[in-house]
């Protein structure tokens, strides 16, 4: 099939591979699939069909997490509300009685920024590159930069098309030995993307997520990292901000235990 182009390169990580693909893209849309995941056969057919309804430049489908013994459907409430809204350019939040734009929904409701369950117009990505120094959470930086730099019209398809296989030794699920270095690079990038936008306040919450990662690496897994290098990310205002955006019970318990340095109870979660 002449439509298929295979590019061989030395392993440089997912961001390096994606950047090379973007340099060689010729089509109207871009989608990323991780090598060990799988999709439904009609995923792109239905996303393209939805795209034609209102000339959306980003399409998002639902996804589930697959392990060797179970499949967990990810039920993002805000995404469900979004799908049920007549005008998919906006979301009416019943609890706050406010109308949110696409960008506000994605950022303020912390919708998963995984690019794998998306279909994106290639014209939006021509001048955007992945930071190859970030080993994990690179999707979050990239997608936030995408939607803060462009006028994005996002269409949602309320079907579980993407299946995210969670290998025990994948980059996002193994113990992160380089967590401090990655956190510093990640915060530099996400601060650059959000600092001059109305979403700058979320940098505080993101700093606290890095504090959590480093705290767990040091005190739960025993990594040799210096507490002095990341302790400022755990300051009070950061904690207060992440409390506002954390919705799951497990997440709320985790940040409470970390705030009070309850290391033995934390070990139950990890």
């Amino acid at each position: 099939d002449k439509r298929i182009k295979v590019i061989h390169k030395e392993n440089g990580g997912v961001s390096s591979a994606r950047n090379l693909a973007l340099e060689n893209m010729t089509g109207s849309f871009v989608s990323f699939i991780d090598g060990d995941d799988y999709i439904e056969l009609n995923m792109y057919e239905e996303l393209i069909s939805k795209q034609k309804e209102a000339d959306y430049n980003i399409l998002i489908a639902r996804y589930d997490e697959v392990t060797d013994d179970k499949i967990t459907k990810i039920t993002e409430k805000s995404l469900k509300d979004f799908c049920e809204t007549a005008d998919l350019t906006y979301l009416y939040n019943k609890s706050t009685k406010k109308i949110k734009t696409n960008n506000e929904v994605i950022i303020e409701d912390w919708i998963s920024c995984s690019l794998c369950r998306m279909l994106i117009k290639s014209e939006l990505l021509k001048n955007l590159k992945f930071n190859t120094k970030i080993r994990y959470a690179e999707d979050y930086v990239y997608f936030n930069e995408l939607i803060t730099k462009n006028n994005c019209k996002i269409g949602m398809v309320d079907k579980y098309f993407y299946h995210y296989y969670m290998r025990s030794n994948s980059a996002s699920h193994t113990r992160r030995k380089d967590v401090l270095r990655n956190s510093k690079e990640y915060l530099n990038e996400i601060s650059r993307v959000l600092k001059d936008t109305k979403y700058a306040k979320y940098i505080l919450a993101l700093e606290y997520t890095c504090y959590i990662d480093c705290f767990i690496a040091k005190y739960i897994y025993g990594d040799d990292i210096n507490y002095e290098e990341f302790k400022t990310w755990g300051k009070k205002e950061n904690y207060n901000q992440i409390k506002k955006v954390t919705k799951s019970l497990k997440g709320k318990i985790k940040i409470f235990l970390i705030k009070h340095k309850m290391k033995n109870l934390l070990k139950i979660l990890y």
Side-chain angles (χ1 to χ4, degrees), residues 152-170:
C152 296
K153 190 173 185 180
I154 304 174
M156 306 287 186
V157 177
D158 194 14
K159 294 182 180 179
Y160 289 88
F161 282 141
Y162 194 89
H163 308 291
Y164 177 34
Y165 183 60
M166 299 175 66
R167 291 183 294 115
S168 59
N169 64 339
S170 69

Side-chain angles (χ1 to χ4, degrees), residues 216-266:
I216 290 168
K218 180 173 179 62
Y219 294 109
I220 304 303
Y221 295 123
D223 285 2
D224 184 21
I225 56 179
N226 188 349
Y227 180 71
E228 297 298 317
E229 291 193 60
F230 68 87
K231 71 176 184 179
T232 57
W233 299 339
K235 57 191 176 185
K236 184 177 180 180
E237 54 263 48
N238 292 9
Y239 173 75
N240 291 336
Q241 184 61 41
I242 201 171
K243 274 205 310 183
K244 294 178 183 178
V245 298
T246 301
K247 297 177 175 61
S248 72
L249 178 60
K250 183 178 179 179
K252 291 177 181 178
I253 292 172
K254 180 168 67 174
I255 63 173
F256 176 83
L257 294 178
I258 286 177
K259 180 180 187 298
H260 297 283
K261 296 182 171 60
M262 298 180 179
K263 301 169 189 175
N264 290 332
L265 289 176
L266 271 171

Side-chain angles (χ1 to χ4, degrees), residues 49-64:
S49 177
K50 169 61 74 173
Q51 190 276 331
K52 292 177 180 177
E53 289 181 9
D55 195 27
Y56 297 112
N57 47 25
I58 298 177
L59 289 303
I60 302 180
R62 286 192 177 279
Y63 74 103
D64 52 37

Side-chain angles (χ1 to χ4, degrees), residues 31-42:
S31 186
F32 302 97
I33 304 177
D34 286 347
D36 46 4
D37 299 342
Y38 62 99
I39 64 173
E40 293 299 312
L41 292 176
N42 61 333

Side-chain angles (χ1 to χ4, degrees), residues 11-39:
N11 185 10
V14 64
S15 293
S16 173
R18 288 175 173 179
N19 284 339
L20 182 59
L22 291 173
E23 291 170 9
N24 287 274
M25 67 181 178
T26 57
S28 301
F29 294 92
V30 172
S31 186
F32 302 97
I33 304 177
D34 286 347
D36 46 4
D37 299 342
Y38 62 99
I39 64 173

Side-chain angles (χ1 to χ4, degrees), residues 34-239:
D34 286 347
D36 46 4
D37 299 342
Y38 62 99
I39 64 173
E40 293 299 312
L41 292 176
N42 61 333
M43 173 175 167
Y44 294 125
E45 179 183 2
E46 294 214 22
L47 291 180
I48 289 292
S49 177
K50 169 61 74 173
Q51 190 276 331
K52 292 177 180 177
E53 289 181 9
D55 195 27
Y56 297 112
N57 47 25
I58 298 177
L59 289 303
I60 302 180
R62 286 192 177 279
Y63 74 103
D64 52 37
E65 294 178 345
V66 181
T67 63
D68 291 335
D69 55 2
K70 68 176 181 178
I71 297 176
T72 304
K73 291 186 175 181
I74 306 303
T75 54
E76 299 157 301
K77 185 178 185 302
S78 295
L79 187 55
K80 184 175 187 298
D81 290 341
F82 212 172
C83 292
E84 293 174 350
T85 306
D87 179 359
L88 291 182
T89 308
Y90 296 95
L91 167 68
Y92 179 72
N93 188 309
K94 296 177 183 177
S95 60
T96 61
K97 296 184 178 179
K98 292 181 180 179
I99 292 177
K100 291 184 177 182
T101 64
N102 284 178
N103 295 11
E104 289 169 333
V105 171
I106 297 294
I107 295 177
E108 295 181 11
D109 293 332
W110 286 43
I111 298 295
S112 169
C113 293
S114 173
L115 295 167
C116 293
R117 43 80 169 264
M118 300 182 190
L119 186 67
I120 305 169
K121 275 194 173 180
S122 55
E123 62 190 37
L124 298 182
L125 308 182
K126 288 180 179 178
N127 298 314
L128 279 181
K129 297 291 184 184
F130 288 90
N131 185 329
T132 57
K133 294 180 180 178
I134 303 177
R135 189 176 174 215
Y136 45 87
E138 71 285 340
D139 278 14
Y140 191 87
V141 173
Y142 191 85
F143 191 64
N144 276 271
E145 184 164 18
L146 168 64
I147 64 176
T148 51
K149 284 188 172 181
N150 295 282
N151 181 23
C152 296
K153 190 173 185 180
I154 304 174
M156 306 287 186
V157 177
D158 194 14
K159 294 182 180 179
Y160 289 88
F161 282 141
Y162 194 89
H163 308 291
Y164 177 34
Y165 183 60
M166 299 175 66
R167 291 183 294 115
S168 59
N169 64 339
S170 69
S172 57
H173 294 98
T174 51
R175 183 160 63 85
R176 297 167 176 176
K177 294 182 180 179
D178 59 347
V179 61
L180 183 59
R181 181 204 60 78
N182 193 87
S183 294
K184 289 178 179 179
E185 190 67 38
Y186 166 75
L187 287 174
N188 284 338
E189 280 292 274
I190 200 63
S191 297
R192 174 185 63 80
V193 171
L194 297 181
K195 67 179 180 179
D196 295 323
T197 74
K198 64 180 180 179
Y199 308 112
K201 61 183 179 180
Y202 292 104
I203 296 172
L204 299 179
L206 295 171
E207 283 185 356
Y208 202 88
T209 64
C210 290
Y211 175 76
I212 290 172
D213 283 346
C214 290
F215 187 94
I216 290 168
K218 180 173 179 62
Y219 294 109
I220 304 303
Y221 295 123
D223 285 2
D224 184 21
I225 56 179
N226 188 349
Y227 180 71
E228 297 298 317
E229 291 193 60
F230 68 87
K231 71 176 184 179
T232 57
W233 299 339
K235 57 191 176 185
K236 184 177 180 180
E237 54 263 48
N238 292 9
Y239 173 75

